[in-house]
């Protein structure tokens, strides 16, 4: 993946990009909430009214008395959630494209003090009950870390979705194997918007034990929510967050945006817009000569196989995007994607491929 | 210390409190900068223009080409900085009132995977060269973790200050013992404002190797700066931050406030105001019957010995503050302390003690 | 404490010393068992007949179906046992002279990834229910690691003993506080021999949850036993040992000596002899001019306050022993202590003090 | 891999097996040395004369002033050595069949607090400069753990050997990439015996920085040596061993066997015998119908593809051996392999395949 830090000097001369949904700023709803929260004094470390309201908003959204915690970013949210499921000598089954495996610099192993990630073969980054079972039962001796949890990313890192049936099948397999099920929902809102199901249906009703619900990519400045549906797993999780440097003193600024996003429905509205932009883009470029969709564009990501000269051409025209060894380019659509910029990208692709 | 989370239901009916400088919100300068930064797209993970400008602003402020990193909070900033100085079998010398020892839930040991904190006797929470030497040389056998660093808090947790001469003496001792010197500057701005010296004079010119410069208590929403004056110590620190869940994707919202605070001088102005409120408060209550200053009020904290009935009385009048086993109450003054509220507190104390 | 590694060149010219009970070799019973075990092939990693027999021998000795594991040394045995009781954000209450606090180079924090040791004031290194309670309830906020276990050393590092009543009182306090009780029994056999009670009476019948039973100081080459009386706490402990490098491939050589020691009663016989030598020595020197017993000589250790010139004199005559800052010398008596050497030491002390 | 612990009840009725070279006991030379070392008192923790002699014997054997340390087993020796090369956010490149990856229950990640193992494609478990380079340069962004070391196993887990030229080529690649080279020598003696080169030629002269030299499989009861040829890497390694529970108090019993093995040449003699038995066995069975050698039998291991009914037949006749998913059986030959038992196994195979 391109080191984004190297890209910025170039990007300053640039309008909106589709390199990452992390390039977008804060959405109006989240901003207004931070502004409203920024009045007077509030107790620190989550003792404020906003944190209480945000937790309540999650319980309402998920239609269940779940336990809710806030972390600063996804690296920590996912790593802390997995660490709460495992001891250091346990292991976590994931797909080979799982973000925790490929892009967290060993954070899951660091937070858990050594829990190994066991990579299962997957199709387009999606785990299957069979793959989970084969890895879980591959070894039962003491020399191999004991499988204790499974993590799935919804939507996947390649922008595809697990259907509700697929999640049900995976959780059934997990239960039969005595494994806990974690969902990395860095773009959870995009999945809900695309599947058109309720957050409850996609999580605890489908057998998910712990969810990391991403706020940053959804339009916030900082902050993810860790949601325990199996509340026994949340025991002392507040201490875990504190010790790991994830307890905000002015928590209201992480919590208030969630209140606004959830209560106003912006979380879903923004995700739907991003998905629509991605799907519109995919639809308009998939038939261009030399271009192919690498994966179904089911959320807010579009992966294209691009002849290298086309990629060069796009860069020459000032576009930023990630490319991968073996070819392939990723385009991500954020809450603020502008139809004009999408069209501009389509036009440039059309021009370069004709 | 009172569990602040238990206090909030009560605190909602309350105006400004002096329980913690974390109760204050975001100052206008930091807010305006976040607002300005919230336009258009910026590369993620510190590749943005704001992060570059903030780092540059620190180098200007400190008059030296230091290495600058940003962490979400003080727990992480201090723990990561100490972990970069030590291996797990090394130890860190601190005072018995050091925040890393008393209020981080084992975070330094967690981030370093076991570096032990060695508590040295101190006077009013201040370490001395003699105390450092006695601890550092107390044991030299392999069964005792090898001392590798010293951490001092400036101002101390009790609101007192190390003079420049004292810091020079400590760093000289550290050098002679082969120890690195870390400064926990959660309220670094208050120290600069009180001593009237330059940031450079209080740090690298006095022999400090690494500083954690607190932004949250200075008026920001979130974010501390870790500043390496001995730049060799910063090797791969960016990887350390990433793995430990301290790399913000939308880094601009941590960096932009620093740009505004440093370039506008607000960092020092706000600290001076907080210090002045604390000292005014101390001056007006120290002679009240039954009340004594526990420590010199040199920064933005005032510690009072209060007869328990007075403490009860204050709470009955709606005041929130921390109390300690053995008596003693802490009053902290933030960037936004209102003279009217300070006077109201003084009046209540006068009424209760007369 | 003197670095023993520095002492050896000197010690080569020397007969038996009383510096440490680790200076002694392997007792005849343990040696014979290793010899017997060294015939033919045995399955590795504890699958051998000796490991099964040793575990059974412990269950017989303790009159209960406890779970038994073997570790290479006391550092690992105690650290792994404590790690199995705590998460990284929990804490362990110990006395200020606890070996885990003073002589393990941060091993407990390393194995647990950060569990903090909370030092309670003690009298002669013995914890009391009051001291435990005061530390356990000192802080209940999230900024302080949550107490989860208590560790006591029996006999203590200063050679004194907890009576059965004292252990009962401590375990009752632990239960009322929701804390688990760990016993560091590096010299457990000496405690049984001295109190004349059964291993069961001193452990699970007195409320101990986990015991580390020392084999090395009892006359073995290597190997300690970790014994879980609360067998639920032993879940996956075999994985914990494996991951931490404490699973011996040729386990029979750790297990066989235990079989011989326990089945022959040598474990208790050797400890009784060591205790007798220590008490005889204490009795014969306590009234010498300028010499005082620092602690009651209840096990196999004798601590003396010695004028420095006497200490010099002893060293000049070739004796090795540990001394402590502030004065004081430790003499340890092993399973093989020779009465002649004890007398020789007494004579030299008498000569030097007259 | 079969859980050996499940096999033992069966194995008690059995003569010598070829399931693992860990099933063998202690060789006469090692035993005699322990016996000789078991006289009188010796300073603890490596301060004894045997530890000094053993370290000197290694320096003589390797013809260089290397730093030598002793650990209890291979899990710890390899994990500690790798941890000394890496910080938690670094990574180690290994082959997919590396023992540290497949059979250490996450020990490397535990000891390093998170250093990730990066699995490179290999041919028969052997890494190549190209494979190392491709993994090392695959990612250079901060989201991926920074490669810092390479580990190779000599002989490999499949019983094959790296030639001196191959090791030279790998170390040259490592140097050009700024990576340190670690050699897992659990069966190092077998490699020396098979290649007929000197220990120096196979290690530091070929660019190896750190070697773990296995003693247990070579005929000792317990104990591996960690040898640093780049002595700067050994800084404070003694503290690392102590904290990790790998410092033996009665170190003489780990060190004395090494003195005898190295000074008498038994280390090489035993390895040669084991290799000869393996190669004789391979030669006699490779042409049997339905049987194939899976890998070249270059050391003391022989891997056979066996029709499952043949495997059943062998078990029915009382033979123990490891089998693998996808078929394949491993036969290991220890220092004490008896030609009669080898012949018996060959005869049974011949009978079952005819």
């Amino acid at each position: 993946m391109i080191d984004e830090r190297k890209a910025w000097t170039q990007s300053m001369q640039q309008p909106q990009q589709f390199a990452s949904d992390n390039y977008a700023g804060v959405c109006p709803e989240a901003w207004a909430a931070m502004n409203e929260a920024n009045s007077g004094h509030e107790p620190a470390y989550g003792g404020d009214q906003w944190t209480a309201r945000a937790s309540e908003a999650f319980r309402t959204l998920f239609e269940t008395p779940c336990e809710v915690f806030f972390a600063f970013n996804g690296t920590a949210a996912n790593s802390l959630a997995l660490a709460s499921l495992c001891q250091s000598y346990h292991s976590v089954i994931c797909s080979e494209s799982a973000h925790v495996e490929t892009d967290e610099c060993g954070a899951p192993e660091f937070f858990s003090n050594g829990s190994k990630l066991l990579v299962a073969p997957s199709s387009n980054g999606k785990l299957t009950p069979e793959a989970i079972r084969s890895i879980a039962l591959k070894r039962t001796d003491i020399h191999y870390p004991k499988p204790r949890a499974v993590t799935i990313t919804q939507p996947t890192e390649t922008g595809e979705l697990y259907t509700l049936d697929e999640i049900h099948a995976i959780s059934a397999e997990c239960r039969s194997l005595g494994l806990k099920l974690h969902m990395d929902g860095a773009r959870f809102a995009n999945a809900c918007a695309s599947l058109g199901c309720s957050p409850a249906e996609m999580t605890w009703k489908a057998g998910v034990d712990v969810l990391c619900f991403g706020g940053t990519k959804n339009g916030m400045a900082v902050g993810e929510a860790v949601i325990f549906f199996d509340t026994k797993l949340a025991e002392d999780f507040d201490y875990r967050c504190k010790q790991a440097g994830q307890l905000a003193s002015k928590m209201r600024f992480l919590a208030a945006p969630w209140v606004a996003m959830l209560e106003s429905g912006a979380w879903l509205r923004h995700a739907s817009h991003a998905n629509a932009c991605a799907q519109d883009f995919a639809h308009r470029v998939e038939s261009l000569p030399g271009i192919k969709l690498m994966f179904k564009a089911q959320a807010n990501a579009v992966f294209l196989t691009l002849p290298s000269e086309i990629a060069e051409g796009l860069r020459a025209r000032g576009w930023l995007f990630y490319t991968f060894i073996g070819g392939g380019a990723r385009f991500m659509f954020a809450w603020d994607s502008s139809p004009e910029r999408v069209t501009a990208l389509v036009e440039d692709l059309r021009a370069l491929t004709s």
Side-chain angles (χ1 to χ4, degrees), chain A:
Chain A
M1 198 173 297
I2 294 171
D3 184 342
E4 298 179 87
R5 294 168 305 164
K6 304 221 181 77
W8 83 267
T9 43
Q10 174 185 4
S11 72
M12 292 306 86
Q13 295 78 268
Q14 307 241 8
Q16 189 178 85
Q17 295 289 346
F18 302 106
S20 169
D21 35 7
N22 281 330
Y23 280 36
V26 179
C27 68
E29 297 83 356
W31 187 264
M34 284 201 290
N35 194 20
E36 184 185 350
N38 190 27
S39 68
H41 277 205
E42 289 279 355
Y45 303 114
D48 63 280
Q49 61 183 313
W50 294 97
T51 300
R53 275 183 64 188
S55 300
E56 208 41 50
F58 274 109
R59 286 186 273 269
T60 303
L61 183 72
F62 282 93
E63 310 163 42
T64 185
C66 47
E67 288 277 359
V68 181
F69 301 87
F70 300 99
F72 290 112
N73 65 12
T75 304
N78 286 313
S79 299
L80 286 169
L82 291 174
S84 72
L85 303 179
C86 296
Q87 293 293 323
S88 60
Y89 43 81
H90 289 144
S91 53
V92 177
I93 297 172
C94 66
S95 92
E96 78 275 9
S97 60
H99 200 266
V100 287
E101 166 68 11
T102 64
D103 284 275
E104 296 297 13
C105 197
E109 295 87 346
F110 174 80
F111 282 86
S112 65
N113 196 26
S115 301
K116 209 169 171 67
L117 296 175
L118 304 182
V119 173
S122 66
S123 65
N124 298 348
K126 284 166 64 176
L127 286 177
T128 61
E130 299 63 40
I132 291 167
R133 184 164 206 84
S134 68
I135 293 288
L137 301 182
K138 180 179 156 201
R139 294 272 300 270
T140 59
D141 60 283
I142 199 172
H143 308 285
Y144 203 64
K146 190 177 188 176
R148 187 63 170 270
V150 169
T151 178
I152 57 175
T153 308
Q154 174 80 324
T156 67
E157 292 76 9
T158 55
E160 300 203 349
L161 289 164
Y162 287 91
T163 64
L164 295 189
D165 286 349
E166 289 171 328
I167 300 172
H168 275 277
I170 285 172
S171 69
E173 189 64 61
C174 288
R175 273 190 303 282
S176 79
L177 292 164
L179 306 174
K180 296 294 181 185
L181 181 56
H182 164 264
M183 179 178 279
D184 176 350
R187 299 178 178 94
F188 182 74
N190 301 87
C192 290
S194 186
L195 284 185
C197 65
S198 74
E201 290 170 328
M202 204 191 294
T203 54
W204 63 275
K205 289 183 177 177
V208 172
D209 297 300
V210 191
L211 166 71
C212 293
F213 190 144
T216 314
K217 293 181 168 72
N218 199 198
M220 291 169 50
V222 61
E224 317 284 289
V226 182
I227 301 170
F228 288 89
F229 300 110
D230 177 344
T231 55
K232 290 183 308 302
L233 298 175
E235 186 188 3
D236 289 341
F237 194 76
D238 49 353
Y239 283 87
R240 189 181 290 277
C241 292
K242 164 67 191 188
Q243 182 183 42
Q246 293 292 321
L247 177 63
S249 53
K250 297 181 178 177
M251 186 71 92
R252 57 173 140 164
F253 296 105
L254 271 75
W258 278 115
V259 173
M261 299 287 281
L262 300 185
E263 293 183 351
S264 72
W267 72 281
L268 193 60
R269 201 160 53 244
H270 291 317
S272 302
H273 170 76
N275 291 351
C277 291
Q279 282 149 27
D280 171 57
F281 174 74
H283 177 69
R284 293 161 69 183
V285 302
E286 64 188 329
S287 55
L288 293 177
I291 291 186
K292 264 204 218 58
L293 288 189
M294 294 171 68
F295 310 101
K296 291 195 231 91
Q298 298 180 313
N300 67 323
V302 177
F303 287 74
L304 301 178
T305 50
L306 278 186
S308 58
E309 62 277 14
I310 305 289
E312 308 294 317
L314 283 181
R315 294 201 196 285
R317 290 170 183 234
W319 292 102
L320 292 177
F321 50 90
Y322 293 0
T323 49
F324 301 90
I325 288 171
R330 186 190 79 162
F331 298 90
M332 298 299 300
F333 299 82
W335 65 271
D336 66 345
S337 294
S338 117
E340 295 66 31
R341 286 292 290 167
V342 174
T343 294
L345 178 56
V346 170
E347 292 311 325
D348 280 342
L349 269 170
R350 178 167 293 127
L352 288 161
T353 54
S354 61

